[in-house]
Amino acid sequence: MAAPLRIQSDWAQALRKDEGEAWLSCHPSGKPSLYGSLTCQGIGLDGIPEVTASEGFIVNEINKITCLDISSGGGLGVSSSTDGTMKIWQASNGELRRVLEGHVFDVNCCRFFPSGLVVLSGGMDAQLKIWSAEDASCVVTFKGHKGGILDTAIVDRGRNVVSGSRDGTARLWDCGRSACLGVLADCGSSINGVAVGAADNSINLGAPEQMPSEREVGTEAKMLLLAREDKKLQCLGLQSRQPVFLFIGSDAFNCCTFLSGFLLLAGTQDGNIYQLDVRSPGAPVQVIHRSGAPVLSLLSFRDGFIASQGDGSCFIVQQDLDYVTELTGADCDPVYKVATWEKQIYTCCRDGLVRRYQLSDL
């Protein structure tokens, strides 16, 4: 059995700095633990740190899966990586079908369009791309952001998409004409997560200051949620661009999702999961805190949700916290993203593995 290897949880950030260091340890069965360090010798032309290790450890490759999604029919999966590529694979067995190449540096986010035949991606190269899952061609590239794109959302059937970036802006794009329809928000702080949801009739989304473009399709009666680095969770009307609320949390918000037309979740860097009611967002409905590790992804699931954190934990919370299911296997490596299809749950982890879980009835 392979000896477990543990690495400092924020190694990816630490090693992006020249001379940055991160610790690692290995515990062979029946032998004393080995402790060493990783040191960044600079950033290569490809944007990947050049890293050396001490105490006999060897760095063969620096790579990690950053995001994944499953197609609407459950047949295909897509995953993105820090090596600038994405892979299309058979969801049932992981068999590789296509490699999508075209981004420069890390691909931070990827998702299928509702058709299941087209993929949307965003990368550290500040580009948003649309790909054919059938022949791996890049059919559209959007340019306009001045910083890496960290998350995306698809509006309705996908004629419009939303992107959030390190440059502090969220933008609405017209896929048919490869054009930016407008800056939805410019908050001066990195936007780590975005979500689009249909609003309950009781929520006042405001009116747009000018007539929306005819190229905007499906933006009416929708809310846009922004998880921001400056500890703020921002909600606005997608079509109106008018503020709905601004909530201040305990730390940077990493991710967010809608549970219904008025309930939402957002996760922070210090491990808090806030449940808020858009109709009265001043105080959380509840705050869930299972560990101090960063909350990295949140996904509505049945009558509850799935959350993953930076300490390797991934769990399903049923309504009112009456029932919690833990997903194992990731050890101490962060679980970056979760996707589902029917009773299948897929996770991507810093260790480079995609895991598939088969659920029985909960």
PDB file of all heavy atoms in Angstrom, residues 334-362:
ATOM      1  N   PRO A 334      -7.719  19.238  -0.882  1.00  0.00           N
ATOM      2  CA  PRO A 334      -8.937  20.006  -1.138  1.00  0.00           C
ATOM      3  C   PRO A 334      -9.784  19.406  -2.249  1.00  0.00           C
ATOM      4  O   PRO A 334      -9.259  18.934  -3.258  1.00  0.00           O
ATOM      5  CB  PRO A 334      -8.397  21.384  -1.554  1.00  0.00           C
ATOM      6  CG  PRO A 334      -7.036  21.472  -0.946  1.00  0.00           C
ATOM      7  CD  PRO A 334      -6.504  20.070  -0.960  1.00  0.00           C
ATOM      8  N   VAL A 335     -11.093  19.418  -2.051  1.00  0.00           N
ATOM      9  CA  VAL A 335     -12.046  19.007  -3.076  1.00  0.00           C
ATOM     10  C   VAL A 335     -12.598  20.291  -3.699  1.00  0.00           C
ATOM     11  O   VAL A 335     -13.327  21.036  -3.059  1.00  0.00           O
ATOM     12  CB  VAL A 335     -13.175  18.147  -2.483  1.00  0.00           C
ATOM     13  CG1 VAL A 335     -14.188  17.772  -3.557  1.00  0.00           C
ATOM     14  CG2 VAL A 335     -12.600  16.887  -1.838  1.00  0.00           C
ATOM     15  N   TYR A 336     -12.226  20.543  -4.955  1.00  0.00           N
ATOM     16  CA  TYR A 336     -12.511  21.832  -5.570  1.00  0.00           C
ATOM     17  C   TYR A 336     -13.932  21.978  -6.088  1.00  0.00           C
ATOM     18  O   TYR A 336     -14.498  23.067  -6.074  1.00  0.00           O
ATOM     19  CB  TYR A 336     -11.541  22.083  -6.725  1.00  0.00           C
ATOM     20  CG  TYR A 336     -10.108  22.256  -6.291  1.00  0.00           C
ATOM     21  CD1 TYR A 336      -9.130  21.367  -6.700  1.00  0.00           C
ATOM     22  CD2 TYR A 336      -9.726  23.314  -5.470  1.00  0.00           C
ATOM     23  CE1 TYR A 336      -7.808  21.522  -6.316  1.00  0.00           C
ATOM     24  CE2 TYR A 336      -8.414  23.476  -5.074  1.00  0.00           C
ATOM     25  CZ  TYR A 336      -7.456  22.579  -5.496  1.00  0.00           C
ATOM     26  OH  TYR A 336      -6.150  22.730  -5.102  1.00  0.00           O
ATOM     27  N   LYS A 337     -14.495  20.879  -6.586  1.00  0.00           N
ATOM     28  CA  LYS A 337     -15.798  21.007  -7.239  1.00  0.00           C
ATOM     29  C   LYS A 337     -16.565  19.711  -7.142  1.00  0.00           C
ATOM     30  O   LYS A 337     -15.992  18.621  -7.107  1.00  0.00           O
ATOM     31  CB  LYS A 337     -15.591  21.368  -8.720  1.00  0.00           C
ATOM     32  CG  LYS A 337     -16.818  21.935  -9.396  1.00  0.00           C
ATOM     33  CD  LYS A 337     -17.101  23.360  -8.943  1.00  0.00           C
ATOM     34  CE  LYS A 337     -18.249  23.989  -9.733  1.00  0.00           C
ATOM     35  NZ  LYS A 337     -18.532  25.360  -9.277  1.00  0.00           N
ATOM     36  N   VAL A 338     -17.886  19.839  -7.120  1.00  0.00           N
ATOM     37  CA  VAL A 338     -18.789  18.693  -7.077  1.00  0.00           C
ATOM     38  C   VAL A 338     -19.814  18.835  -8.199  1.00  0.00           C
ATOM     39  O   VAL A 338     -20.293  19.941  -8.479  1.00  0.00           O
ATOM     40  CB  VAL A 338     -19.518  18.611  -5.725  1.00  0.00           C
ATOM     41  CG1 VAL A 338     -20.476  17.433  -5.691  1.00  0.00           C
ATOM     42  CG2 VAL A 338     -18.525  18.522  -4.575  1.00  0.00           C
ATOM     43  N   ALA A 339     -20.125  17.725  -8.861  1.00  0.00           N
ATOM     44  CA  ALA A 339     -21.180  17.703  -9.868  1.00  0.00           C
ATOM     45  C   ALA A 339     -22.024  16.448  -9.647  1.00  0.00           C
ATOM     46  O   ALA A 339     -21.532  15.454  -9.098  1.00  0.00           O
ATOM     47  CB  ALA A 339     -20.595  17.706 -11.277  1.00  0.00           C
ATOM     48  N   THR A 340     -23.277  16.485 -10.064  1.00  0.00           N
ATOM     49  CA  THR A 340     -24.162  15.340  -9.843  1.00  0.00           C
ATOM     50  C   THR A 340     -24.939  15.010 -11.110  1.00  0.00           C
ATOM     51  O   THR A 340     -25.148  15.859 -11.987  1.00  0.00           O
ATOM     52  CB  THR A 340     -25.178  15.618  -8.724  1.00  0.00           C
ATOM     53  OG1 THR A 340     -26.018  16.727  -9.114  1.00  0.00           O
ATOM     54  CG2 THR A 340     -24.483  15.963  -7.421  1.00  0.00           C
ATOM     55  N   TRP A 341     -25.369  13.777 -11.188  1.00  0.00           N
ATOM     56  CA  TRP A 341     -26.348  13.341 -12.164  1.00  0.00           C
ATOM     57  C   TRP A 341     -27.109  12.179 -11.548  1.00  0.00           C
ATOM     58  O   TRP A 341     -26.529  11.146 -11.229  1.00  0.00           O
ATOM     59  CB  TRP A 341     -25.695  12.916 -13.476  1.00  0.00           C
ATOM     60  CG  TRP A 341     -26.723  12.581 -14.517  1.00  0.00           C
ATOM     61  CD1 TRP A 341     -27.498  13.461 -15.211  1.00  0.00           C
ATOM     62  CD2 TRP A 341     -27.121  11.270 -14.935  1.00  0.00           C
ATOM     63  NE1 TRP A 341     -28.354  12.776 -16.047  1.00  0.00           N
ATOM     64  CE2 TRP A 341     -28.138  11.433 -15.905  1.00  0.00           C
ATOM     65  CE3 TRP A 341     -26.711   9.982 -14.586  1.00  0.00           C
ATOM     66  CZ2 TRP A 341     -28.755  10.352 -16.529  1.00  0.00           C
ATOM     67  CZ3 TRP A 341     -27.332   8.903 -15.216  1.00  0.00           C
ATOM     68  CH2 TRP A 341     -28.338   9.094 -16.175  1.00  0.00           C
ATOM     69  N   GLU A 342     -28.415  12.402 -11.340  1.00  0.00           N
ATOM     70  CA  GLU A 342     -29.258  11.424 -10.670  1.00  0.00           C
ATOM     71  C   GLU A 342     -28.608  10.985  -9.351  1.00  0.00           C
ATOM     72  O   GLU A 342     -28.360  11.810  -8.483  1.00  0.00           O
ATOM     73  CB  GLU A 342     -29.556  10.257 -11.610  1.00  0.00           C
ATOM     74  CG  GLU A 342     -30.406  10.677 -12.801  1.00  0.00           C
ATOM     75  CD  GLU A 342     -30.854   9.526 -13.650  1.00  0.00           C
ATOM     76  OE1 GLU A 342     -30.299   8.406 -13.525  1.00  0.00           O
ATOM     77  OE2 GLU A 342     -31.789   9.723 -14.464  1.00  0.00           O
ATOM     78  N   LYS A 343     -28.276   9.702  -9.190  1.00  0.00           N
ATOM     79  CA  LYS A 343     -27.692   9.231  -7.932  1.00  0.00           C
ATOM     80  C   LYS A 343     -26.163   9.175  -7.962  1.00  0.00           C
ATOM     81  O   LYS A 343     -25.536   8.628  -7.057  1.00  0.00           O
ATOM     82  CB  LYS A 343     -28.247   7.846  -7.577  1.00  0.00           C
ATOM     83  CG  LYS A 343     -29.736   7.845  -7.259  1.00  0.00           C
ATOM     84  CD  LYS A 343     -30.208   6.454  -6.874  1.00  0.00           C
ATOM     85  CE  LYS A 343     -31.697   6.450  -6.563  1.00  0.00           C
ATOM     86  NZ  LYS A 343     -32.169   5.104  -6.179  1.00  0.00           N
ATOM     87  N   GLN A 344     -25.570   9.751  -8.999  1.00  0.00           N
ATOM     88  CA  GLN A 344     -24.113   9.780  -9.108  1.00  0.00           C
ATOM     89  C   GLN A 344     -23.594  11.134  -8.622  1.00  0.00           C
ATOM     90  O   GLN A 344     -24.146  12.179  -8.971  1.00  0.00           O
ATOM     91  CB  GLN A 344     -23.670   9.586 -10.561  1.00  0.00           C
ATOM     92  CG  GLN A 344     -24.379   8.474 -11.305  1.00  0.00           C
ATOM     93  CD  GLN A 344     -23.929   7.101 -10.855  1.00  0.00           C
ATOM     94  OE1 GLN A 344     -22.781   6.912 -10.504  1.00  0.00           O
ATOM     95  NE2 GLN A 344     -24.846   6.146 -10.870  1.00  0.00           N
ATOM     96  N   ILE A 345     -22.533  11.101  -7.828  1.00  0.00           N
ATOM     97  CA  ILE A 345     -21.857  12.327  -7.416  1.00  0.00           C
ATOM     98  C   ILE A 345     -20.403  12.232  -7.863  1.00  0.00           C
ATOM     99  O   ILE A 345     -19.734  11.220  -7.645  1.00  0.00           O
ATOM    100  CB  ILE A 345     -21.932  12.539  -5.896  1.00  0.00           C
ATOM    101  CG1 ILE A 345     -23.377  12.722  -5.453  1.00  0.00           C
ATOM    102  CG2 ILE A 345     -21.103  13.749  -5.474  1.00  0.00           C
ATOM    103  CD1 ILE A 345     -23.548  12.908  -3.964  1.00  0.00           C
ATOM    104  N   TYR A 346     -19.917  13.286  -8.495  1.00  0.00           N
ATOM    105  CA  TYR A 346     -18.549  13.343  -8.989  1.00  0.00           C
ATOM    106  C   TYR A 346     -17.818  14.484  -8.275  1.00  0.00           C
ATOM    107  O   TYR A 346     -18.374  15.573  -8.095  1.00  0.00           O
ATOM    108  CB  TYR A 346     -18.517  13.604 -10.486  1.00  0.00           C
ATOM    109  CG  TYR A 346     -19.180  12.535 -11.324  1.00  0.00           C
ATOM    110  CD1 TYR A 346     -20.570  12.481 -11.458  1.00  0.00           C
ATOM    111  CD2 TYR A 346     -18.429  11.576 -11.999  1.00  0.00           C
ATOM    112  CE1 TYR A 346     -21.189  11.507 -12.224  1.00  0.00           C
ATOM    113  CE2 TYR A 346     -19.039  10.591 -12.776  1.00  0.00           C
ATOM    114  CZ  TYR A 346     -20.417  10.567 -12.885  1.00  0.00           C
ATOM    115  OH  TYR A 346     -21.023   9.601 -13.640  1.00  0.00           O
ATOM    116  N   THR A 347     -16.576  14.237  -7.878  1.00  0.00           N
ATOM    117  CA  THR A 347     -15.768  15.281  -7.245  1.00  0.00           C
ATOM    118  C   THR A 347     -14.415  15.364  -7.932  1.00  0.00           C
ATOM    119  O   THR A 347     -13.911  14.372  -8.455  1.00  0.00           O
ATOM    120  CB  THR A 347     -15.537  14.994  -5.744  1.00  0.00           C
ATOM    121  OG1 THR A 347     -14.744  13.802  -5.607  1.00  0.00           O
ATOM    122  CG2 THR A 347     -16.845  14.829  -5.001  1.00  0.00           C
ATOM    123  N   CYS A 348     -13.830  16.564  -7.944  1.00  0.00           N
ATOM    124  CA  CYS A 348     -12.447  16.706  -8.410  1.00  0.00           C
ATOM    125  C   CYS A 348     -11.613  17.263  -7.272  1.00  0.00           C
ATOM    126  O   CYS A 348     -12.064  18.107  -6.491  1.00  0.00           O
ATOM    127  CB  CYS A 348     -12.345  17.571  -9.652  1.00  0.00           C
ATOM    128  SG  CYS A 348     -12.728  19.312  -9.443  1.00  0.00           S
ATOM    129  N   CYS A 349     -10.390  16.764  -7.187  1.00  0.00           N
ATOM    130  CA  CYS A 349      -9.558  16.990  -6.016  1.00  0.00           C
ATOM    131  C   CYS A 349      -8.162  17.443  -6.437  1.00  0.00           C
ATOM    132  O   CYS A 349      -7.720  17.213  -7.571  1.00  0.00           O
ATOM    133  CB  CYS A 349      -9.485  15.673  -5.224  1.00  0.00           C
ATOM    134  SG  CYS A 349      -8.519  15.736  -3.729  1.00  0.00           S
ATOM    135  N   ARG A 350      -7.462  18.073  -5.496  1.00  0.00           N
ATOM    136  CA  ARG A 350      -6.101  18.520  -5.781  1.00  0.00           C
ATOM    137  C   ARG A 350      -5.160  17.366  -6.114  1.00  0.00           C
ATOM    138  O   ARG A 350      -4.140  17.559  -6.765  1.00  0.00           O
ATOM    139  CB  ARG A 350      -5.554  19.297  -4.579  1.00  0.00           C
ATOM    140  CG  ARG A 350      -4.220  19.975  -4.856  1.00  0.00           C
ATOM    141  CD  ARG A 350      -3.688  20.688  -3.636  1.00  0.00           C
ATOM    142  NE  ARG A 350      -3.427  19.762  -2.541  1.00  0.00           N
ATOM    143  CZ  ARG A 350      -3.091  20.149  -1.320  1.00  0.00           C
ATOM    144  NH1 ARG A 350      -3.032  21.437  -1.032  1.00  0.00           N
ATOM    145  NH2 ARG A 350      -2.855  19.262  -0.366  1.00  0.00           N
ATOM    146  N   ASP A 351      -5.468  16.156  -5.684  1.00  0.00           N
ATOM    147  CA  ASP A 351      -4.598  15.022  -5.978  1.00  0.00           C
ATOM    148  C   ASP A 351      -4.685  14.561  -7.432  1.00  0.00           C
ATOM    149  O   ASP A 351      -4.047  13.585  -7.835  1.00  0.00           O
ATOM    150  CB  ASP A 351      -4.885  13.844  -5.044  1.00  0.00           C
ATOM    151  CG  ASP A 351      -6.322  13.329  -5.149  1.00  0.00           C
ATOM    152  OD1 ASP A 351      -7.032  13.706  -6.104  1.00  0.00           O
ATOM    153  OD2 ASP A 351      -6.723  12.560  -4.266  1.00  0.00           O
ATOM    154  N   GLY A 352      -5.497  15.285  -8.255  1.00  0.00           N
ATOM    155  CA  GLY A 352      -5.578  14.982  -9.670  1.00  0.00           C
ATOM    156  C   GLY A 352      -6.584  13.911 -10.022  1.00  0.00           C
ATOM    157  O   GLY A 352      -6.667  13.500 -11.184  1.00  0.00           O
ATOM    158  N   LEU A 353      -7.372  13.445  -9.051  1.00  0.00           N
ATOM    159  CA  LEU A 353      -8.325  12.374  -9.297  1.00  0.00           C
ATOM    160  C   LEU A 353      -9.756  12.893  -9.352  1.00  0.00           C
ATOM    161  O   LEU A 353     -10.129  13.803  -8.595  1.00  0.00           O
ATOM    162  CB  LEU A 353      -8.232  11.307  -8.201  1.00  0.00           C
ATOM    163  CG  LEU A 353      -6.896  10.569  -8.058  1.00  0.00           C
ATOM    164  CD1 LEU A 353      -6.975   9.595  -6.893  1.00  0.00           C
ATOM    165  CD2 LEU A 353      -6.527   9.853  -9.348  1.00  0.00           C
ATOM    166  N   VAL A 354     -10.540  12.322 -10.259  1.00  0.00           N
ATOM    167  CA  VAL A 354     -11.986  12.504 -10.252  1.00  0.00           C
ATOM    168  C   VAL A 354     -12.588  11.261  -9.612  1.00  0.00           C
ATOM    169  O   VAL A 354     -12.275  10.139 -10.007  1.00  0.00           O
ATOM    170  CB  VAL A 354     -12.545  12.679 -11.677  1.00  0.00           C
ATOM    171  CG1 VAL A 354     -14.066  12.652 -11.664  1.00  0.00           C
ATOM    172  CG2 VAL A 354     -12.045  13.985 -12.299  1.00  0.00           C
ATOM    173  N   ARG A 355     -13.423  11.451  -8.609  1.00  0.00           N
ATOM    174  CA  ARG A 355     -14.046  10.333  -7.904  1.00  0.00           C
ATOM    175  C   ARG A 355     -15.538  10.303  -8.212  1.00  0.00           C
ATOM    176  O   ARG A 355     -16.184  11.351  -8.261  1.00  0.00           O
ATOM    177  CB  ARG A 355     -13.806  10.443  -6.388  1.00  0.00           C
ATOM    178  CG  ARG A 355     -12.349  10.251  -6.007  1.00  0.00           C
ATOM    179  CD  ARG A 355     -12.127  10.494  -4.515  1.00  0.00           C
ATOM    180  NE  ARG A 355     -10.781  10.107  -4.098  1.00  0.00           N
ATOM    181  CZ  ARG A 355      -9.712  10.893  -4.201  1.00  0.00           C
ATOM    182  NH1 ARG A 355      -9.841  12.119  -4.700  1.00  0.00           N
ATOM    183  NH2 ARG A 355      -8.522  10.458  -3.799  1.00  0.00           N
ATOM    184  N   ARG A 356     -16.056   9.099  -8.396  1.00  0.00           N
ATOM    185  CA  ARG A 356     -17.495   8.939  -8.647  1.00  0.00           C
ATOM    186  C   ARG A 356     -18.102   8.126  -7.511  1.00  0.00           C
ATOM    187  O   ARG A 356     -17.595   7.059  -7.152  1.00  0.00           O
ATOM    188  CB  ARG A 356     -17.736   8.232  -9.974  1.00  0.00           C
ATOM    189  CG  ARG A 356     -19.212   7.968 -10.285  1.00  0.00           C
ATOM    190  CD  ARG A 356     -19.401   7.565 -11.732  1.00  0.00           C
ATOM    191  NE  ARG A 356     -18.820   6.261 -12.010  1.00  0.00           N
ATOM    192  CZ  ARG A 356     -19.501   5.123 -12.012  1.00  0.00           C
ATOM    193  NH1 ARG A 356     -20.811   5.132 -11.725  1.00  0.00           N
ATOM    194  NH2 ARG A 356     -18.914   3.999 -12.309  1.00  0.00           N
ATOM    195  N   TYR A 357     -19.187   8.650  -6.947  1.00  0.00           N
ATOM    196  CA  TYR A 357     -19.892   8.002  -5.849  1.00  0.00           C
ATOM    197  C   TYR A 357     -21.280   7.585  -6.311  1.00  0.00           C
ATOM    198  O   TYR A 357     -21.962   8.361  -6.997  1.00  0.00           O
ATOM    199  CB  TYR A 357     -20.026   8.945  -4.646  1.00  0.00           C
ATOM    200  CG  TYR A 357     -18.705   9.426  -4.084  1.00  0.00           C
ATOM    201  CD1 TYR A 357     -18.056  10.524  -4.643  1.00  0.00           C
ATOM    202  CD2 TYR A 357     -18.113   8.800  -2.995  1.00  0.00           C
ATOM    203  CE1 TYR A 357     -16.850  10.976  -4.134  1.00  0.00           C
ATOM    204  CE2 TYR A 357     -16.901   9.248  -2.474  1.00  0.00           C
ATOM    205  CZ  TYR A 357     -16.270  10.334  -3.054  1.00  0.00           C
ATOM    206  OH  TYR A 357     -15.082  10.784  -2.556  1.00  0.00           O
ATOM    207  N   GLN A 358     -21.693   6.401  -5.956  1.00  0.00           N
ATOM    208  CA  GLN A 358     -23.032   5.907  -6.245  1.00  0.00           C
ATOM    209  C   GLN A 358     -23.840   5.940  -4.962  1.00  0.00           C
ATOM    210  O   GLN A 358     -23.481   5.288  -3.977  1.00  0.00           O
ATOM    211  CB  GLN A 358     -22.966   4.465  -6.784  1.00  0.00           C
ATOM    212  CG  GLN A 358     -24.321   3.798  -6.950  1.00  0.00           C
ATOM    213  CD  GLN A 358     -25.096   4.347  -8.135  1.00  0.00           C
ATOM    214  OE1 GLN A 358     -24.526   4.528  -9.199  1.00  0.00           O
ATOM    215  NE2 GLN A 358     -26.378   4.627  -7.942  1.00  0.00           N
ATOM    216  N   LEU A 359     -24.916   6.705  -4.972  1.00  0.00           N
ATOM    217  CA  LEU A 359     -25.725   6.851  -3.770  1.00  0.00           C
ATOM    218  C   LEU A 359     -26.890   5.868  -3.789  1.00  0.00           C
ATOM    219  O   LEU A 359     -27.522   5.653  -4.823  1.00  0.00           O
ATOM    220  CB  LEU A 359     -26.275   8.263  -3.649  1.00  0.00           C
ATOM    221  CG  LEU A 359     -25.283   9.400  -3.382  1.00  0.00           C
ATOM    222  CD1 LEU A 359     -26.056  10.695  -3.209  1.00  0.00           C
ATOM    223  CD2 LEU A 359     -24.449   9.116  -2.155  1.00  0.00           C
ATOM    224  N   SER A 360     -27.200   5.328  -2.629  1.00  0.00           N
ATOM    225  CA  SER A 360     -28.462   4.636  -2.464  1.00  0.00           C
ATOM    226  C   SER A 360     -29.493   5.675  -2.068  1.00  0.00           C
ATOM    227  O   SER A 360     -29.192   6.854  -1.938  1.00  0.00           O
ATOM    228  CB  SER A 360     -28.343   3.560  -1.382  1.00  0.00           C
ATOM    229  OG  SER A 360     -27.917   4.151  -0.149  1.00  0.00           O
ATOM    230  N   ASP A 361     -30.736   5.272  -1.888  1.00  0.00           N
ATOM    231  CA  ASP A 361     -31.771   6.235  -1.487  1.00  0.00           C
ATOM    232  C   ASP A 361     -31.444   6.794  -0.123  1.00  0.00           C
ATOM    233  O   ASP A 361     -31.154   6.056   0.827  1.00  0.00           O
ATOM    234  CB  ASP A 361     -33.145   5.553  -1.452  1.00  0.00           C
ATOM    235  CG  ASP A 361     -33.623   5.206  -2.843  1.00  0.00           C
ATOM    236  OD1 ASP A 361     -33.306   5.971  -3.780  1.00  0.00           O
ATOM    237  OD2 ASP A 361     -34.302   4.180  -2.997  1.00  0.00           O
ATOM    238  N   LEU A 362     -31.511   8.115  -0.020  1.00  0.00           N
ATOM    239  CA  LEU A 362     -31.211   8.783   1.252  1.00  0.00           C
ATOM    240  C   LEU A 362     -32.475   8.882   2.087  1.00  0.00           C
ATOM    241  O   LEU A 362     -33.555   9.047   1.564  1.00  0.00           O
ATOM    242  CB  LEU A 362     -30.626  10.161   1.001  1.00  0.00           C
ATOM    243  CG  LEU A 362     -29.274  10.180   0.278  1.00  0.00           C
ATOM    244  CD1 LEU A 362     -28.836  11.619   0.035  1.00  0.00           C
ATOM    245  CD2 LEU A 362     -28.222   9.454   1.104  1.00  0.00           C
TER     246      LEU A 362
END
